[in-house]
Amino acid sequence: MHPDSAVAFFGDNQPLQLDSGIVLSSFQIAYQTYGTLNADKSNAILICHPLTCDQHVANPHPVTGKPGWWENLVGPGSIVDTQRYFVICSNVIGGCLGSTGPASVNPQTRKAYALDFPVITIGDMVCAQAMLVDRLGIDTLFSIIGGSMGGMQVLQWASFCKERVFSAVILASSARHSAQNIAFGEIGRQAVMADPDWQDGWYIEAGTNPRKGLAVARMTAHITYLSGATLHRKFGRNLQERSQITFGFDADFQIESYLRHQGVTFVERFDANSYLYLTRAMDYFDLAAEHGGRLANAFSKTGTRFFVASFSSDWLFPTRESRIIVHALNAAGASVSFAEFETDKGHDAFLLNEPVMFSAVNGFLQSAARARGLEK
Amino acid sequence: MHPDSAVAFFGDNQPLQLDSGIVLSSFQIAYQTYGTLNADKSNAILICHPLTCDQHVANPHPVTGKPGWWENLVGPGSIVDTQRYFVICSNVIGGCLGSTGPASVNPQTRKAYALDFPVITIGDMVCAQAMLVDRLGIDTLFSIIGGSMGGMQVLQWASFCKERVFSAVILASSARHSAQNIAFGEIGRQAVMADPDWQDGWYIEAGTNPRKGLAVARMTAHITYLSGATLHRKFGRNLQERSQITFGFDADFQIESYLRHQGVTFVERFDANSYLYLTRAMDYFDLAAEHGGRLANAFSKTGTRFFVASFSSDWLFPTRESRIIVHALNAAGASVSFAEFETDKGHDAFLLNEPVMFSAVNGFLQSAARARGLEK
């Protein structure tokens, strides 16, 4: 499966102890690396992927053929310079691009796990990543970088493995899923579950695929990734390949055609149950709750350098959520830089070519590299 | 059908010429009235209902038994005082509470219209309402009041029947559906259409009902009616009748339980095809486009007094959309008052008990009543 990626297997002797109390013995993590680990193993950067991305951060995607999802940021000569750093990106546990997830074969039944796969958390994702980093022989990561669900993983790393994180970049993220975030997560899950082809979760065994439900879930999520202003600028009320409205339910408007396309292409590359599990992991994320209700406790005695950024038109992970993180880091006496970038591009901005954001991340990494003794 | 409401029948001799070019001969409009029309027929107020409301503005709902949807505003001694005014509220054409819509019997086939029902517009809704107002023997309405889709109807009245509108109240509305509005409309329709019980629209004949799809549509729409701040205040991350997360896909969080309830109860009182038709009518609404691309032209030479209001946390019909209306009215030399009310309640605020908004509407109506010679 996915020969493009390396795969780390973990057998019964290295089980994953999940937050639910369940033990996942025998699992695998698919990952990509770029660049070369230096002699003292001090130049490793872990990229944590958001919900619907995967380990293919800086190479063409094996299913879609599209460029890596963060090639703007990661590559030879880029800000996360793969000629300088050893970059690791792994598919999260629960995912569907090679890491063990609900579509993987359950060794006990030799059928797909489906809903027998245990519900996982952001913490579980990070534990599995940490086992991969161990396997690669790396003790301390020079940096961990992630946006959105990726940023949640960075926060989790910086809280639970703080001695292993020299620097951390958290973009367009939050230390908890808000009520509105959970609401949209629930919409996505209900859309999938309403599709009879979901087969109560056992669609692989049934030979079906809840394409329509997953497409609706994706379409809904996609709206939340963009700002109203972006939608207005890109689409407005423009008609799709017609000069007049048709008085029907076809995609008269470009925005309708665009969303339908987003839905249809997504189901080609994503597993519906993975979508349920990963959105659930995000819903469950509440870092303060894991530290007695005080977020600053999550970062006590941290030596990690932090960079936190938000985007002015991001209404899914708005600036106020980043400020909560920053205030907690301040209260914990951490080293933290914070920026809110002006853009009309909404949540998606962290994945796009945003020069001001890139130059800030670049400055932060350069400074951290000097502190780490990683002179060019 | 719906004996609680009066019904105005229009036969072949009074067809409705639709914007699509189709002629709807033989249709009916269900309506409620409250209060008494005065001798010179100058005290009539038309209330235009939003998407999922109906004619039961100030009496218990015949299906749900709940109070009228705007009893805060309309009733004996209320701001829209039914002891003083003659209040009319009719179910829109295309609706499902007694007015002719896709669930009505097509006289040509003696089966439900389903998708043979013509796609209607906000303009068509207003034409049908105007025929009802004619039938009631009223020439000029003292006021027309509506929020959201109701506000679109008010704008349409004030543009196309301007001599019949003495005053107009437009709350939380817009002169066009934005790209983001259309996007959410499309999500709702796709959710319904993805449900196999929709039966390509012919579910009444098939004896099915796309409950799951319509519930997902409603849940999605419901999020857009509330602000993130309201969701945080009302639900936050509170758990639903449990002390810990269950590591599953049940409604662990109150917000999930609330949304599921919204979905389930909605399908008991609303027809899925009506939902498609009415959201489509909103998508198609673009008053400027009907006037050469200049919204001010819609209101040229108007003598109507306008009150336009928005709510600060309404992200579905944000203040900037109300400002566009107000600027056009200004450019047309109209009499217009505008207010943005501070609230965290989002789009729904126009339906809720908002004292500052109510007192502004009250002041506007009192002043208009004096100008109209409707002294108490």
Side-chain angles (χ1 to χ4, degrees), chain A residues 291-314:
Chain A
H291 292 87
R294 185 169 177 266
L295 189 58
N297 293 348
F299 308 113
S300 63
K301 300 180 186 165
T302 183
T304 304
R305 298 158 163 254
F306 289 87
F307 179 70
V308 178
S310 65
F311 299 89
S312 58
S313 57
D314 182 351

Side-chain angles (χ1 to χ4, degrees), chain B residues 124-145:
Chain B
D124 297 332
M125 294 176 191
V126 166
C127 283
Q129 281 166 347
M131 290 170 73
L132 171 66
V133 172
D134 289 340
R135 179 72 60 89
L136 295 173
I138 298 162
D139 183 37
T140 302
L141 293 158
F142 163 60
S143 198
I144 311 187
I145 304 174

Side-chain angles (χ1 to χ4, degrees), chain A residues 78-125:
Chain A
S78 294
I79 291 165
V80 178
D81 186 352
T82 53
Q83 292 169 335
R84 185 178 187 189
Y85 302 115
F86 178 63
V87 175
I88 309 159
C89 187
S90 66
N91 189 214
V92 295
I93 191 95
C96 51
L97 255 287
S99 292
T100 301
S104 303
V105 172
N106 181 344
Q108 297 192 325
T109 63
R110 303 204 177 166
K111 294 176 182 172
Y113 273 106
L115 293 200
D116 283 346
F117 192 76
V119 166
I120 43 95
T121 65
I122 300 291
D124 297 332
M125 293 177 193

